[in-house]
Amino acid sequence: MSRLKARLLARIDREGPMNIAAYMTACLFDPVDGFYPTRDPLGSEGDFITAPEVSQMFGELLGIFAVQSWRDMGRPETLHLIELGPGRGVMMSDMIRAARIDPDFLKAMRVTLVEASPALEAVQGQTLVRCPYPVSWVHSLTDVPAGPSLIVANEFLDCLPIRQFIRHRNRWHERMVMRDPDGADALVFGRSSAPEAGLDLSAFDGANEGDLVEYNPGLTQLCAQFSDRFARHKGRALLIDYGPAVSEVGDTLQAIAKHKKVDPLDAPGQADLTARVDFAALTRAATEEQLSAFGPYKQAEFLTAMGIDLRAAKLARQSPDQKPVIERQLRRLMDGGQMGALFKVMILQSKSLPDPIGISP
Ligand code: SAH
């Protein structure tokens, strides 16, 4: 049994069942036994692979997006380039390299990485060790100094802790993690009492008996933080993640270890836990916070509009022996059956900014 599992069983015996959000938080971020603080899970040797790890083209196109965003803001003297959940720092490194097309942008750029895991912060430091521009680390977006900003995040929203509710006899019951009722040393899912008074689940009013819905409080909180920041200084956020454009019912909590799906309750702390991002819920949260919202667009549409085909052709011309590799990477990012369609791109920004590049006309 993993050490975290033993600790969670003891905690449940002491305090009672825990909701899915508390379980995700413990599994992902427990400082001693959590998934992220204890390892570097990214890449082919690790547990899962993400778009910036698939190809340098991904971060490079985002670098162009950053330069254009700075121009859209009227070329402010300082631009905070902020990444939420930077993983190994590869995307930021590719962005900065591509942004060399505009030296004035680089002069204005202040890079801040928002990272919760000390292990990954160390890896990011290594990746960016030769970066000649200032890079700082904080634990929360609210710790970044005020000023115009471009915020980027890839596969960050999917690890924000979700809560799950099940409709039973016209009432909501929260899905909880508890000890196996037969007393075995196992964690199981079970239903518990009604959610706390005041929790607004009206978005799910159309649910049927037996439906399971997912509620991500972090999306609302994040949009409130964007709104606060972007009301004082111009700002834009580019969010890329996996999930549907239209809300769906059903359990999407998923655990991945060593590139395979595993049972989310089996080995807490040893697997990545994520849930699909409900982009309709994100759009609602953004609109309520008076942000302009663009998308969601399929990742393939966005990368096409950003010129990925030209970039791939240029890379292949520069290194002809790499052509098959580049084509494979391109398919991985773009194909509907791979990352091209399930991954979505959404842009949220101050009302005063012009439309961003990379969006469908
Ligand atoms: N963006 C990277 C890594 C994705 S993995 C890539 O595409 O390769 C998720 C990242 O988000 C990790 O770096 C993880 O430690 C970080 N993370 C997750 N939740 C966080 C939170 N609440 N605050 C800060 N960082 C967080």
Side-chain angles (χ1 to χ4, degrees):
M1 175 175 346
S2 78
R3 191 165 60 172
L4 186 56
K5 189 168 182 175
R7 287 177 49 211
L8 290 175
L9 282 165
R11 174 171 161 189
I12 289 168
D13 291 343
R14 222 171 38 240
E15 299 171 7
M18 59 203 295
N19 70 10
I20 308 288
Y23 180 72
M24 278 181 88
T25 304
C27 291
L28 294 178
F29 292 110
D30 182 88
V32 188
D33 295 314
F35 180 73
Y36 282 112
T38 54
R39 78 200 68 212
D40 167 11
L42 287 141
S44 49
E45 304 288 298
D47 294 282
F48 60 93
I49 192 154
T50 57
E53 301 277 337
V54 167
S55 166
Q56 68 185 76
M57 294 185 281
F58 189 81
E60 287 170 347
L61 295 174
L62 266 50
I64 307 297
F65 184 92
V67 171
Q68 184 57 42
S69 295
W70 174 70
R71 294 176 183 171
D72 289 345
M73 290 173 204
R75 301 168 191 260
E77 211 169 295
T78 326
L79 176 80
H80 291 283
L81 176 57
I82 304 165
E83 182 173 358
L84 310 176
R88 287 211 287 214
V90 172
M91 185 170 103
M92 184 54 76
S93 162
D94 292 337
M95 285 180 74
I96 295 171
R97 193 178 57 255
R100 288 194 303 214
I101 55 162
D102 190 335
D104 290 335
F105 168 84
L106 293 176
K107 269 189 225 131
M109 178 186 77
R110 305 280 178 282
V111 176
T112 306
L113 303 178
V114 182
E115 176 55 67
S117 152
L120 284 174
E121 181 176 325
V123 180
Q124 291 150 21
Q126 292 271 308
T127 306
L128 294 165
V129 72
R130 270 191 264 284
C131 172
Y133 310 98
V135 179
S136 2
W137 278 265
V138 295
H139 293 299
S140 163
L141 179 58
T142 51
D143 297 333
V144 187
S149 44
L150 174 69
I151 300 170
V152 292
N154 184 62
E155 292 214 45
F156 169 76
L157 304 178
D158 64 358
C159 42
L160 296 177
I162 54 152
R163 296 173 67 179
Q164 295 183 328
F165 297 95
I166 298 168
R167 194 79 183 155
H168 182 59
R169 296 199 181 145
N170 280 328
R171 283 169 189 271
W172 289 114
H173 297 261
E174 185 153 17
R175 195 175 187 223
M176 309 292 273
V177 176
M178 40 187 82
R179 182 188 274 278
D180 181 341
D182 298 331
D185 276 340
L187 295 167
V188 294
F189 289 114
R191 273 198 320 245
S192 174
S193 50
E196 69 276 15
L199 181 68
D200 181 10
L201 295 175
S202 59
F204 307 111
D205 276 351
N208 297 312
E209 172 71 18
D211 278 352
L212 183 154
V213 300
E214 294 181 334
Y215 166 65
N216 186 335
L219 298 182
T220 313
Q221 200 186 7
L222 201 60
C223 285
Q225 290 176 4
F226 291 162
S227 175
D228 201 39
R229 229 191 131 78
F230 300 170
R232 282 179 289 152
H233 301 273
K234 288 178 183 167
R236 176 177 282 164
L238 175 72
L239 307 169
I240 307 174
D241 231 297
Y242 82 109
V246 178
S247 304
E248 292 172 348
V249 293
D251 172 20
T252 77
L253 184 68
Q254 163 178 291
I256 301 272
K258 306 274 172 249
H259 302 275
K260 289 208 177 65
K261 276 196 191 183
V262 296
D263 181 337
L265 298 183
D266 207 29
Q270 312 279 320
D272 189 31
L273 279 185
T274 59
R276 290 186 176 210
V277 176
D278 178 350
F279 280 91
L282 179 61
T283 308
R284 268 197 310 276
T287 313
E288 270 162 31
E289 289 294 341
Q290 313 301 321
L291 296 162
S292 293
F294 298 83
Y297 306 102
K298 291 183 180 142
Q299 174 166 299
E301 284 168 9
F302 175 76
L303 294 178
T304 301
M306 289 299 300
I308 196 166
D309 293 316
L310 285 174
R311 184 68 194 133
K314 183 163 182 204
L315 285 174
R317 264 199 317 278
Q318 284 167 349
S319 340
D321 55 318
Q322 289 296 303
K323 197 166 177 223
V325 177
I326 294 163
E327 279 170 0
R328 216 171 33 245
Q329 295 171 342
L330 189 63
R331 282 199 299 277
R332 185 112 192 233
L333 294 178
M334 301 290 285
D335 277 5
Q338 301 199 50
M339 289 176 166
L342 179 58
F343 278 78
K344 308 285 188 311
V345 177
M346 186 130 196
I347 298 157
L348 309 178
Q349 64 182 39
S350 317
K351 287 259 193 260
S352 60
L353 281 187
D355 290 2
I357 51 165
I359 62 169
S360 323

